Amino acid sequence: MKRLATPVVVIGAGPAGCVFATRMAQLGFDVCLIERARFPRARLGESLSPGVMPMLASMGAAAAVEAARFPRVHAVDTNWEGTETVRQDPRAQGMLVDRGVFDAALLATAAARAGVRVLQPAQVRRRVATNDGWRLFIETADGPVTLDAGFLADGSGRAARLGGHRRAMGPRTIAIHGYWTGARLPERPRIEAGAREWYWGVPIPDGSYNTLVFVDAARFRTEPGISLDARLRALLERSSLMRDTRDVALRASARATDATAYVDEDCVSDRHLKLGDAALALDPLSSSGVQKAIQTALSGAIVANTLLRRPEASEAALRFYRDSLSDAATRHRAWAAEHYATAAAWRPDPFWTSRASAAVATASVPASGTPVADDIPVELSPDARWEELPCLGAAYVELRSALRHPGVEGPVAYLGGHELSPLLRSLGPGMTLRTLAQAWSSTVPLDTGVSIARWLSSHGVVRPAR
């Protein structure tokens, strides 16, 4: 049996696992990444929200994704309140991806550019906690491997190889989904509220079309036992997702997947950390699961670096990670409940009313800003405030002047590796996003500065001057 040792091991090569492994390697650790499946693999989550690419750019992983030339999202068709509308994005910040290609690009970046050791296909058969960390017994294509590691990150998604205690953030939900081929398939994403379910359609870069129907889990289990393909077809007949298509056929059998939102309350210790869906699953209505997975990976790497290299700050690091996940779960729960409530107002089915009532009364709803053109004068939002808090530094969790704002999840002290407080102090009367980025150019590269300025605008931290 082959024996290996590494300071950091990561289970799962999805976006969270790849980004965490890459960032830990950039911080100077030897990292081993274990993935059970061969790539490319089919995965749900083909729509990337606008915040994904700036985060990948901050760690040097955007180029590989850009090279795939995935189509941008200029508009989304919606019918949520009984009226057909088109949600436009003139800057086309969203992206439609083939998750097999997307995940493979992130994995290649981790291995080739960051030097992460990859075991694939490989499966952890057993793990044992030791005095120094972990001992993993792994089955690989070349035979069994024993791996000793000081720190373990679980990026295995909803499977969550480390187990734990999940707190549901709303009613149980099932996603029934399938990929279609045929003529006149929709060319734009579509979201639609039905009588007692909601629909999401996504055109895929390979020319197929993915339909997802989100239904109540209890109702799903008690309805008559017809095949999943037949159930998906029957549900789609009640929607407009496939209304103009011709000669359509399922590319493969329909599938059902748990889509319940939750947060894992055993998300971190001084020897382990959970990432992505292993730690936090958002309501799919947010369409930002990949973005949140990458956020947990980037913040998780700073937390892990603190635990391993500054154990005297471990309590602050642990508290920061737990609180940031809990805060994100609560915020997104409130945000989703508000949107379910708009549908419940004209579709008073228990599916809608139960999800609309899931909001916590004291929860604040994230306030996203309307993106501001680069040449419009801006000012700091009056809702922005500063506190001295344990928060993410460039490499460690540390006490810093951190921004709190309703549109930002948790306190933020750094963006793109640059301290935020002095950047915003340079915002003066009449400045635009472009001139603000230029004012930072002595310490921040211009393209990075523009990305930071746009992020501040999209989250409502800066707004058009009044």
Side-chain angles (χ1 to χ4, degrees):
M1 179 180 292
K2 187 175 182 180
R3 300 186 70 91
L4 300 173
T6 185
V8 178
V9 64
V10 185
I11 301 175
C18 285
V19 168
F20 178 85
T22 300
R23 190 72 189 98
M24 290 298 285
Q26 291 171 342
L27 289 167
F29 291 94
D30 290 330
V31 182
C32 182
L33 178 58
I34 303 169
E35 170 54 47
R36 65 185 300 175
R38 296 182 184 275
F39 280 11
R41 59 179 177 175
R43 294 294 297 273
L44 280 177
E46 295 92 349
S47 179
L48 300 188
S49 49
V52 170
M53 293 307 294
M55 288 189 293
L56 294 181
S58 72
M59 49 172 288
V65 176
E66 294 281 10
R69 302 182 68 83
F70 294 123
R72 297 282 180 163
V73 178
H74 295 269
V76 177
D77 295 323
T78 70
N79 188 333
W80 198 251
E81 301 176 62
T83 304
E84 290 288 331
T85 60
V86 179
R87 191 171 67 213
Q88 301 280 359
D89 181 3
R91 290 166 57 182
Q93 299 174 92
M95 187 180 293
L96 300 176
V97 303
D98 179 325
R99 274 293 302 277
V101 176
F102 178 76
D103 289 4
L106 293 184
L107 180 60
T109 298
R113 297 193 59 180
V116 174
R117 178 188 298 175
V118 179
L119 299 182
Q120 182 189 34
Q123 187 168 358
V124 178
R125 296 296 186 185
R126 188 163 61 96
R127 68 182 185 280
V128 178
T130 67
N131 291 334
D132 300 321
W134 301 87
R135 175 164 292 171
L136 279 63
F137 299 90
I138 306 165
E139 190 66 37
T140 75
D142 298 323
V145 172
T146 300
L147 176 64
D148 291 316
F151 192 86
L152 172 60
D154 184 357
S156 60
R158 286 180 177 266
R161 295 302 304 271
L162 286 180
H165 178 65
R166 292 177 176 175
R167 174 164 50 94
M169 302 300 292
R172 292 287 307 279
T173 302
I174 297 292
I176 307 172
H177 55 96
Y179 292 84
W180 300 85
T181 59
R184 297 174 62 181
L185 293 170
E187 297 180 353
R188 296 196 304 218
R190 178 176 177 82
I191 185 170
E192 180 179 321
R196 56 185 189 182
E197 67 282 315
W198 68 274
Y199 300 85
W200 176 234
V202 188
I204 308 302
D206 66 5
S208 61
Y209 185 62
N210 184 20
T211 56
L212 302 96
V213 188
F214 298 90
V215 300
D216 186 77
R219 182 176 284 167
F220 173 79
R221 294 191 183 93
T222 58
E223 287 182 341
I226 61 175
S227 72
L228 206 55
D229 286 7
R231 184 172 293 189
L232 177 59
R233 290 178 184 273
L235 286 165
L236 290 174
E237 287 177 359
R238 307 206 308 242
S239 79
S240 301
L241 258 65
M242 308 282 283
R243 62 185 171 189
D244 295 323
T245 61
R246 292 186 310 171
D247 305 322
V248 295
L250 278 167
R251 192 173 65 186
S253 296
R255 301 185 65 181
T257 303
D258 185 8
T260 306
Y262 60 79
V263 61
D264 193 309
E265 296 184 325
D266 182 29
C267 58
V268 65
S269 74
D270 58 357
R271 295 197 299 180
H272 88 276
L273 181 143
K274 295 175 184 175
L275 309 164
D277 280 357
L280 172 68
L282 303 180
D283 191 296
L285 189 60
S286 73
S287 192
S288 57
V290 174
Q291 177 173 331
K292 175 49 65 178
I294 294 173
Q295 285 177 331
T296 66
L298 292 173
S299 62
I302 303 303
V303 169
N305 188 44
T306 305
L307 294 171
L308 293 168
R309 288 181 170 151
R310 291 186 178 176
E312 69 277 8
S314 61
E315 183 177 348
L318 296 172
R319 185 174 68 250
F320 171 85
Y321 197 67
R322 293 189 187 107
D323 289 350
S324 65
L325 291 185
S326 180
D327 180 60
T330 300
R331 285 169 173 265
H332 278 272
R333 182 184 187 187
W335 177 90
E338 183 180 79
H339 285 268
Y340 284 123
T342 63
W346 62 281
R347 291 289 180 99
D349 185 84
F351 175 87
W352 297 106
T353 55
S354 65
R355 286 159 176 78
S357 64
V360 178
T362 58
S364 58
V365 180
S368 297
T370 301
V372 180
D374 292 350
D375 58 351
I376 293 178
V378 295
E379 64 182 8
L380 187 65
S381 165
D383 294 325
R385 55 191 176 89
W386 299 92
E387 298 180 24
E388 292 293 315
L389 295 170
C391 55
L392 294 180
Y396 300 99
V397 176
E398 51 196 20
L399 195 65
R400 282 289 184 270
S401 184
L403 171 73
R404 280 197 181 274
H405 183 274
V408 176
E409 293 183 2
V412 177
Y414 288 82
L415 284 175
H418 300 276
E419 192 168 3
L420 188 55
S421 176
L423 296 184
L424 281 176
R425 282 200 299 269
S426 65
L427 175 59
M431 296 184 73
T432 67
L433 297 183
R434 172 66 62 174
T435 56
L436 182 60
Q438 290 170 344
W440 302 334
S441 60
S442 61
T443 56
V444 182
L446 183 60
D447 57 345
T448 301
V450 170
S451 294
I452 292 173
R454 288 174 176 170
W455 186 94
L456 293 168
S457 165
S458 67
H459 287 74
V461 178
V462 297
R463 67 181 191 183
R466 299 178 182 180

